[in-house]
């Protein structure tokens, strides 16, 4: 006999109506039945206590439930104990919440979240490459600053100036940009002790002068009669000293070729970069103070200059961090709204006009129980020192939606018990029927989250730890705290029933207390009848018969074919990786900055180090040709501009040839290096010479192009690393941006691994706790189908496959299990003679709880759709897809497919 909600199977012996009869016969009381041998197979037989029960159906299959049966009995005993001592089981969890809630004192308030640590993969190859660079090469921000030679990000402020005319290469446009440049360099910070920190005190320097904000602008400022019609690109050589313009001038239109360069006809935008000192300690703090002052004053500067010929956008090295932290504050008001909506939904869905059966206060307490679980789970994790990252702020919205699912099932099971039974008996019956089901869904959801700990992204790990642990608290509070509240409400039902039985006389009116307890007063309920919700009737009398019609099945199959084709197509269109602009809110000043940069400065990517990682005798015959072959191979990549390669050895060979020196002689080679480095001082930081006069390592630089999209970044990175590995000479490629580029490779690998592990875990759980092979196969099919659908529709909804969406793909495994497992198990366990009747019975028993589960979760996360931040909106989008597609599989696709197979 099926209980309510997601009950997994029969727990008592009952007589069923004969096949083909009209209305269902009333169930027999729970008394032993003496069944003659010829009737075995039409009902159920129970083995002695402690053994496995063998359930035999009219169909030719039998199966055992060795785990489910003893678990059901154990939970029945727990229900009896909770019903006997409800106040203990109510107050102890509340006290536990109060104790664990004190863990919120450890909630970080002003601590900066390290975006690289949280959103780049652990064990990223680029991090190992960075350690090598830091161990073998030095840099000097105070005298010979070079951004391409830095192994880590530096402090900087950046302004993109876009001309309102066709080109920035006009005198009046450059005048206005020059005024802006001067105003920025005049900024100073006044500290509390009244000392001033000026730009020239914190700027990165090259030979005692601040690094120019733009090389072309600096040349023009020194010589305003410069002929702007003869500027060449990407290298400009006005005074014999080459100037690299790649990445500093954007929106270029090039003319005729002049050697390796082309004439720069016009350019739409100019980049102004203000590099600051980035050493540890007080110097770094002064740089950050100046940057914060820059952010605070930039709008005022823009207004005071009244810029008419250019549009400007700005960004700093601190912007991403500051804006990311600001987004977390925007979601706090939404939490209160989500809480209110969930309570309203719970009250409405559990409301009855029958005052005895009405469960709106119980439903409201069920939501409070989920909130207690959030406080307890988060408090415990904070006590244990698990870092609280901003992405964890999504978790309470999900837990509120998911946490009330079990509450709906328990209320539904309670409504099907007899009002005349003892409270302990009723709660024991509820627990024995649905606690196993609740346990299974909790295990699957928690397993799905804990598999997320295997990922290479710390933010995902922490989110999964917080959410999985809090779901365990939800489960624990449901079977203790909420069960106790059900028992206490059962006592209210008994009192209310006695009052309603009393004859109403003019002298004996309901007191105000009675009225408040029994509102809304209605006719006396039938004590023998169990409660049937109108939605259960809808699924039995309308939706089920409609779905099992031949025309409906044909339409469902056609719909599924269209769904799976469009999903598979979408899977190949999904963009990979987290776009760092999405870490800020939509109205942030960094969004237009990234838009302008993408439009005008996307041609040139990062300048990549090519590092010779081992000791090499450069003067020996055969070494240079091998090295040249490797460099040429790298330059011939689709993503490299060979005209912008810079390698000290090439320059040194030319220098030695001009001096008519022998490069192949070790002493000559090494003795002339110091003189060469005085002429080219930057190369000093590219050669690591040991005390024994050996070149331990050295590096050159190649310029990447055309890597604006995530796919191009991933392909470029794999191409360059592959070419470096194939070289006879040990080479390594590195740029600080590679640490974020590595996510494009890691995200797919992590997602696939997590999905496979979680799906395998779900399959094993379904085999153990839902012991029917056919059911397990359908569960696996539904999981795979929902994952493909969610991934495919992500592309149509402009959601990237990143660390945030990966969380949701893992989540959808658990929910796919919930929606499909119970429907398919109800189908295979049904004693109805035809497949259509089996489908109708499965939908009658479980259709409404599945719908409630989907709706409650969607309501819990729907408020995030109003968030101004990509992180929170993405969470809503994917959870919405998971719920809609999961419910569609559970209520439409799986029931129809089961009738075919």
């Amino acid at each position: 006999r099926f209980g309510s909600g997601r009950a997994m199977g029969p727990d008592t012996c009952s007589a069923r109506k004969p096949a083909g009869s009209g209305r269902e016969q009333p169930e027999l009381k729970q008394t032993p039945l003496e069944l003659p041998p010829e009737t075995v197979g039409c009902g159920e037989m129970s083995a002695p206590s402690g053994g496995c029960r063998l359930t035999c159906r009219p169909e030719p299959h039998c199966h055992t439930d060795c785990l489910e049966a003893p678990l059901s009995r154990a939970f029945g005993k727990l229900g009896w104990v909770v019903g006997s001592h409800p106040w203990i089981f109510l107050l102890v969890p509340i006290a536990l919440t109060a104790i664990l809630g004190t863990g919120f004192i450890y909630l970080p308030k002003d601590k900066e979240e390290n975006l690289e640590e949280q959103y780049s993969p652990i064990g990223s190859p680029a991090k190992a490459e960075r350690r090598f660079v830091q161990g073998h090469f030095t840099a000097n921000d105070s005298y010979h600053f070079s951004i391409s030679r830095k192994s880590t990000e530096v402090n900087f402020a950046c302004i993109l100036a876009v001309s309102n005319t066709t080109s920035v290469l006009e005198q009046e446009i450059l005048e206005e940009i020059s005024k802006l440049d001067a105003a920025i360099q005049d900024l100073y910070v006044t500290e509390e002790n009244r000392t001033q920190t000026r730009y020239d005190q914190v700027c990165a320097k090259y030979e005692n002068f601040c690094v120019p904000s733009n090389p072309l602008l600096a040349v023009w400022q020194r010589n305003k009669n410069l002929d702007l019609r003869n500027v060449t690109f990407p290298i400009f050589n006005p005074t014999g000293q080459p100037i690299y313009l790649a990445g500093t001038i954007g929106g270029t239109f090039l003319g005729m070729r002049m050697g390796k360069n082309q004439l720069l006809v016009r350019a739409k935008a100019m980049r102004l970069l203000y590099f600051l000192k980035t050493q540890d300690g007080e110097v770094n703090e002064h740089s950050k103070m100046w940057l914060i002052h820059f952010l605070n004053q930039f709008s005022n500067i823009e207004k005071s200059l009244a810029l008419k010929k250019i549009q400007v956008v700005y960004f700093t090295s601190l912007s991403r961090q500051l804006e990311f932290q600001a987004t977390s504050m925007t979601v706090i008001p939404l939490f209160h709204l989500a809480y209110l909506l969930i309570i309203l939904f719970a009250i409405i869905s559990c409301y009855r006009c029958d005052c005895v059966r009405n469960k709106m206060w119980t439903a409201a307490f069920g939501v409070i129980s989920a909130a207690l679980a959030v406080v307890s789970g988060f408090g415990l994790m904070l006590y244990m020192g698990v870092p609280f990252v901003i992405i964890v702020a999504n978790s309470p919205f999900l837990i509120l939606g998911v946490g009330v699912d079990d509450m709906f099932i328990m209320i539904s099971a309670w409504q099907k018990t007899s009002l005349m039974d003892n409270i302990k008996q009723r709660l024991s019956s509820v627990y024995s029927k649905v606690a196993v089901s609740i346990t299974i869904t909790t295990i699957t959801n928690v397993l799905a989250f804990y598999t997320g700990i295997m990922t290479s992204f710390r933010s995902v790990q922490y989110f999964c730890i917080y959410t999985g642990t809090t779901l365990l608290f939800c489960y624990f509070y449901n079977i203790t705290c909420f069960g106790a509240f059900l028992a206490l409400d059962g006592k209210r039902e008994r009192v209310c029933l006695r009052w309603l039985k009393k004859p109403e006389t003019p002298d004996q009116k309901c007191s105000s207390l009675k009225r408040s307890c029994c509102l809304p007063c209605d006719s006396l309920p039938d004590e023998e009848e169990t409660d049937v919700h109108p939605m259960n009737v809808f699924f039995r009398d309308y939706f089920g018969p409609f779905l099992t019609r031949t025309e409906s099945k044909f339409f469902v199959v056609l719909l599924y074919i269209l769904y799976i084709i469009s999903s598979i197509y979408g899977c190949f269109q999904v963009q990979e990786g987290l776009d760092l602009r999405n870490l800020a809110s939509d109205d942030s000043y960094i969004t237009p900055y990234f838009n302008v940069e993408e439009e005008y400065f996307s041609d040139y990517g990062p300048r990549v180090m090519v590092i010779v990682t081992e000791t090499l005798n450069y003067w020996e015959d055969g070494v240079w040709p091998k090295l040249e072959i490797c460099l040429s191979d790298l330059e011939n990549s689709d993503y490299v501009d060979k005209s912008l390669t810079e390698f000290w050895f090439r320059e040194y060979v030319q220098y030695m040839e001009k001096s008519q020196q022998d490069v192949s002689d070790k002493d000559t080679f090494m003795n002339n290096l110091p003189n060469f480095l005085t002429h080219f001082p930057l190369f000093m930081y590219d050669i690591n010479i040991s005390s024994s006069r050996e070149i331990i390592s050295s590096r050159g630089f190649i310029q990447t192009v055309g890597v604006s999209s995530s796919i191009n970044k991933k392909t470029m990175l794999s191409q360059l690393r592959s070419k470096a590995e194939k070289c006879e000479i040990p080479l390594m490629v590195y740029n600080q941006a590679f640490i974020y580029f590595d996510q494009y490779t890691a995200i797919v690998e992590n997602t696939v691994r997590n999905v496979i592990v979680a799906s395998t875990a779900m399959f094993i759980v379904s085999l153990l706790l839902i012991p029917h092979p056919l059911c397990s196969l359908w569960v696996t099919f539904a999981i795979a189908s929902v994952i493909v659908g969610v991934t495919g529709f992500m592309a149509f909804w402009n959601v990237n496959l990143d660390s945030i969406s990966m969380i949701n793909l893992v989540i959808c495994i658990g929910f796919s299990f919930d929606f499909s497992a119970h429907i398919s198990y109800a189908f295979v366990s049904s004693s109805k003679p035809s497949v259509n009747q089996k489908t109708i019975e499965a939908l009658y028993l479980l259709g409404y709880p599945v719908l409630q589960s989907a709706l409650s979760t969607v309501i819990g996360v729907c408020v995030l759709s109003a968030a101004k931040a990509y992180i929170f909106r993405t969470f809503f989008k994917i959870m919405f897809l998971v719920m809609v597609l999961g419910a569609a599989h559970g209520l439409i696709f799986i029931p129809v497919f089961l009738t075919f197979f």
Side-chain angles (χ1 to χ4, degrees):
R1 183 181 68 186
F2 276 86
S4 62
R6 303 177 186 177
M8 279 296 137
D11 65 333
T12 57
C13 205
S14 62
R16 287 190 167 83
K17 64 176 182 176
S21 65
R23 293 185 57 187
E24 296 227 7
Q25 303 298 317
E27 292 184 319
L28 299 181
K29 294 290 183 182
Q30 298 186 27
T31 54
L33 287 180
E34 296 292 331
L35 295 177
E38 62 270 17
T39 63
V40 174
C42 301
E44 298 165 358
M45 289 191 67
S46 295
S49 178
C52 298
R53 183 177 58 199
L54 182 66
T55 307
C56 297
R57 303 293 185 192
E59 295 82 8
H61 64 260
C62 296
H63 60 276
T64 58
D65 51 0
C66 299
L67 282 176
E68 194 255 353
L71 277 175
S72 181
R73 288 192 294 273
F75 279 117
K77 292 176 183 177
L78 175 63
W80 185 277
V81 174
V82 174
S84 303
H85 310 284
W87 284 108
I88 294 176
F89 284 91
L90 178 67
L91 296 176
V92 168
I94 293 175
L96 179 63
T97 301
I99 294 169
L100 292 177
T102 57
F104 276 82
I105 62 175
Y106 297 106
L107 190 68
K109 293 178 175 61
D110 301 321
K111 184 181 176 183
E112 288 187 2
E113 188 169 315
N114 189 323
L115 299 187
E116 179 194 302
E117 182 182 344
Q118 303 302 334
Y119 296 94
S120 65
I122 303 167
S124 158
K127 291 180 181 177
E129 293 159 3
R130 178 173 63 187
R131 285 193 294 272
F132 182 89
V133 173
Q134 289 172 334
H136 288 76
F137 300 100
T138 59
N140 190 338
D141 291 2
S142 301
Y143 193 72
H144 281 135
F145 177 82
S146 172
I147 184 59
S148 58
R149 286 168 172 80
K150 298 294 291 183
S151 59
T152 56
E153 292 185 344
V154 299
N155 293 320
F156 70 88
C158 181
I159 299 172
L160 302 181
V162 182
S163 171
N164 291 334
T165 62
T166 56
S167 178
V168 293
L169 302 178
E170 299 173 8
Q171 293 289 340
E172 58 271 23
I173 301 292
L174 290 176
E175 283 284 358
E176 201 160 87
I177 295 175
S178 188
K179 284 181 185 178
L180 175 63
D181 179 54
I184 297 301
Q185 296 200 37
D186 286 341
L187 274 178
Y188 60 87
V189 183
T190 303
E191 298 180 35
E192 291 180 0
N193 59 4
R194 296 188 178 180
T195 59
Q196 294 181 346
T197 302
R198 301 186 309 277
Y199 173 70
D200 60 0
Q201 292 176 293
V202 292
C203 68
K205 295 185 177 181
Y206 188 84
E207 296 182 351
N208 295 321
F209 294 98
C210 290
V211 174
S213 59
N214 184 281
L216 182 60
L217 180 67
V219 172
W220 178 84
Q221 286 172 336
R222 287 195 294 268
N223 177 19
K224 296 197 174 180
N225 295 320
L226 180 70
D227 188 356
L228 296 170
R229 293 170 298 179
N230 289 325
V231 176
T232 55
F233 189 86
I235 299 175
F236 182 41
N237 200 338
T239 59
Q241 186 73 20
I243 297 172
Y244 290 88
L245 300 182
T248 65
I249 304 293
T252 57
F253 182 80
L254 304 178
M256 67 176 187
R257 183 165 290 279
M258 303 176 70
K260 290 185 177 182
N261 299 300
Q262 287 179 267
L263 200 63
L264 183 59
V265 178
R266 61 176 180 267
K268 186 69 176 171
M270 180 175 282
R271 187 197 300 270
L272 305 179
L273 267 168
Y274 302 90
F275 293 111
L276 307 180
K277 294 174 183 175
T278 319
Q279 292 98 334
D280 293 333
E282 192 176 346
V283 172
N284 199 45
E285 291 305 312
H286 285 304
S287 295
K288 288 185 176 181
M289 285 171 56
W290 188 90
L291 285 176
I292 292 171
H293 186 64
F294 166 86
L295 289 172
N296 294 334
Q297 295 297 317
F298 186 82
S299 297
N300 297 332
I301 292 173
E302 190 179 355
K303 287 177 185 175
S304 64
L305 293 176
L307 304 172
K308 296 178 181 177
K309 299 183 183 298
I310 57 172
Q311 301 290 326
V312 291
V313 290
Y314 62 104
F315 182 76
T316 73
S317 52
L318 300 180
S319 295
R320 197 181 293 129
Q321 184 82 47
L322 295 173
E323 291 299 292
F324 184 56
Q325 290 171 348
T327 59
S328 62
M329 303 307 296
T330 63
V331 81
I332 293 174
L334 299 177
F335 182 74
H336 303 107
L337 180 59
Y339 196 84
L340 179 63
L341 288 175
I342 287 287
I343 288 180
L344 289 174
F345 173 75
I347 288 174
I348 292 169
S349 62
C350 295
Y351 179 80
R352 301 287 188 281
C353 291
D354 176 354
C355 63
V356 176
R357 297 283 189 183
N358 183 36
K359 283 288 174 284
M360 61 181 186
W361 300 118
T362 310
F365 184 81
V367 181
I368 293 171
S369 174
L372 295 178
V374 172
V375 174
S376 300
F378 279 39
L380 178 63
M381 292 297 97
L382 290 168
Y383 262 127
M384 294 173 65
V386 180
F388 184 92
V389 295
I390 289 176
I391 198 172
V392 174
N394 282 308
S395 186
F397 297 92
L398 175 66
I399 291 162
L400 269 182
V402 177
V404 298
D405 294 352
D406 295 343
M407 175 263 290
F408 289 131
I409 297 165
M410 292 179 71
I411 289 177
S412 182
W414 178 270
Q415 299 287 45
K416 288 181 169 59
T417 58
S418 172
L419 287 169
M420 299 308 295
D421 284 346
N422 184 284
I423 298 294
K424 291 177 281 190
Q425 291 175 335
R426 293 178 72 183
L427 202 60
S428 176
S429 174
V430 168
Y431 275 47
S432 64
K433 288 176 182 177
V434 303
V436 175
S437 170
I438 291 172
T439 303
I440 291 172
T441 54
T442 300
I443 289 173
T444 54
N445 285 329
V446 171
L447 273 177
F449 279 107
Y450 281 167
T451 55
I453 299 173
M454 298 167 48
T455 66
S456 301
F457 296 87
R458 294 195 189 278
S459 57
V460 178
Q461 291 178 351
Y462 298 145
F463 176 88
C464 290
I465 291 171
Y466 270 90
T467 310
T469 305
T470 307
L471 284 178
L472 283 175
F473 273 101
C474 271
Y475 168 74
F476 173 68
Y477 286 177
N478 267 315
I479 61 174
T480 55
C481 185
F482 181 72
F485 195 87
L486 262 182
L488 293 173
D489 191 67
K491 293 182 179 181
R492 179 200 64 82
E493 290 179 355
R494 298 287 291 273
V495 171
C496 198
L497 194 60
R498 284 202 306 271
W499 283 342
L500 286 173
K501 282 181 178 180
K502 291 180 181 179
E504 194 73 33
T505 64
D507 300 326
Q508 191 180 6
K509 300 284 186 182
C510 284
S511 67
S512 59
L513 177 62
K514 292 179 183 179
R515 287 185 179 277
S516 63
C517 189
C518 295
L519 283 175
C521 284
D522 194 27
S523 59
L524 194 65
D526 191 329
E527 298 167 15
E528 298 300 324
E529 282 191 7
T530 55
D531 182 60
V532 179
H533 196 278
M535 284 300 296
N536 293 101
V537 177
F538 165 77
F539 277 102
R540 181 188 64 193
D541 296 345
Y542 299 99
F543 184 76
F546 171 77
L547 195 64
T548 52
R549 289 166 54 186
T550 305
E551 313 90 83
S552 300
K553 290 181 184 180
F554 174 79
F555 177 76
V556 167
V557 171
L558 182 64
L559 183 66
Y560 184 78
I561 291 171
L562 291 173
Y563 157 78
I564 205 69
I565 289 173
S566 58
S567 298
I568 292 172
Y569 171 77
C571 287
F572 291 99
Q573 309 302 314
V574 173
Q575 295 290 309
E576 299 163 20
L578 181 64
D579 187 341
L580 294 177
R581 86 184 74 182
N582 291 330
L583 295 177
S585 59
D586 300 338
D587 55 2
S588 168
Y589 61 87
I590 76 173
T591 303
Y593 170 86
F594 278 112
N595 292 338
V596 170
E597 186 178 54
E598 187 175 347
E599 184 176 359
Y600 297 116
F601 293 92
S602 59
D603 292 341
Y604 289 90
R607 193 162 174 78
V608 176
M609 298 180 195
V610 180
I611 305 161
V612 180
T613 57
E614 295 180 7
T615 302
L616 198 64
N617 297 329
Y618 294 86
W619 50 85
E620 290 182 358
D621 290 338
V623 171
W624 172 239
K626 290 179 183 178
L627 193 53
E628 188 62 40
I629 289 171
C630 296
L631 277 175
S632 298
D633 193 27
L634 288 167
E635 288 175 331
N636 290 330
S637 168
D638 300 332
Y639 301 100
V640 174
D641 183 344
K642 62 174 65 178
S643 67
L644 293 175
T645 299
E646 179 186 1
F647 192 58
W648 70 271
F649 190 64
R650 283 181 177 175
E651 299 293 334
Y652 189 48
V653 169
Q654 292 178 13
Y655 173 83
M656 294 288 279
E657 287 175 352
K658 285 181 183 178
S659 306
Q660 297 181 346
Q661 300 283 338
D662 185 10
V663 187
S664 59
D665 180 70
K666 178 180 179 180
D667 291 334
T668 306
F669 187 99
M670 298 302 296
N671 291 335
N672 282 275
L673 260 180
N675 195 36
F676 166 74
L677 295 177
T678 58
H679 288 84
F680 302 92
L682 275 180
F683 287 145
M684 183 190 311
Y685 304 103
D686 298 337
I687 309 171
N688 185 354
I689 304 174
S690 69
S691 57
S692 57
R693 297 187 71 199
E694 288 185 329
I695 300 177
I696 299 172
S697 56
S698 71
R699 63 183 173 183
F701 301 89
I702 54 176
Q703 177 65 55
T704 58
V705 292
V707 290
S708 57
S709 73
S710 59
I711 293 175
N712 288 345
K713 287 172 184 173
K714 182 172 82 168
T715 310
M716 176 270 291
L717 187 56
S718 62
Q719 264 191 23
L720 295 184
R721 281 179 175 162
S722 174
K723 289 175 183 289
E725 286 175 10
K726 290 176 183 176
C727 179
E728 287 187 55
I729 291 171
L731 288 186
M732 175 193 292
V733 289
Y734 172 74
N735 180 278
Q736 59 259 37
F738 285 3
I739 286 168
Y740 291 103
F741 289 5
D742 272 334
Q743 66 167 311
Y744 301 123
T745 304
I747 200 74
V748 176
E749 175 193 332
N750 275 259
T751 304
V752 171
R753 183 177 68 235
N754 285 350
V755 166
I756 290 173
V757 171
S759 300
T760 305
M762 299 302 106
F763 183 72
I764 293 170
V765 169
S766 64
L767 278 177
L768 290 175
L769 295 178
I770 316 174
H772 198 292
L774 183 64
C775 182
S776 299
L777 289 174
W778 279 112
V779 169
T780 307
F781 163 78
I783 289 173
S785 182
V786 172
I787 288 172
V788 171
V790 171
T791 308
F793 281 87
M794 278 166 50
F796 304 137
W797 213 348
N798 297 321
V799 176
N800 288 5
L801 180 60
D802 52 37
S803 55
I804 298 159
S805 53
M806 180 172 66
I807 291 172
N808 294 276
L809 287 176
V810 173
I811 292 170
C812 81
I813 296 170
F815 289 125
S816 306
F817 181 95
D818 289 0
F819 291 142
S820 57
H822 307 308
I823 290 288
S824 56
Y825 187 76
F827 178 92
V828 298
S829 302
S830 173
S831 61
K832 300 293 183 183
S834 73
V835 288
N836 286 346
Q837 288 176 325
K838 288 173 183 288
T839 296
I840 292 170
E841 184 179 48
L843 289 170
Y844 164 63
L845 291 168
L846 297 167
Y848 185 46
V850 166
L851 190 61
Q852 274 183 312
S853 175
L855 284 175
S856 64
T857 307
V858 168
I859 290 171
V861 298
C862 72
V863 294
L864 293 177
S865 63
K868 293 181 179 180
Y870 167 87
I871 284 182
F872 301 116
R873 276 202 315 279
T874 296
F875 198 84
F876 158 72
K877 287 179 179 179
I878 300 187
M879 284 310 303
F880 180 81
L881 288 174
V882 170
M883 290 297 108
V884 170
L885 297 180
H889 278 73
L891 298 177
I892 300 173
F893 296 138
I894 296 294
V896 169
F897 293 161
L898 283 167
T899 64
F900 298 145
F901 305 98

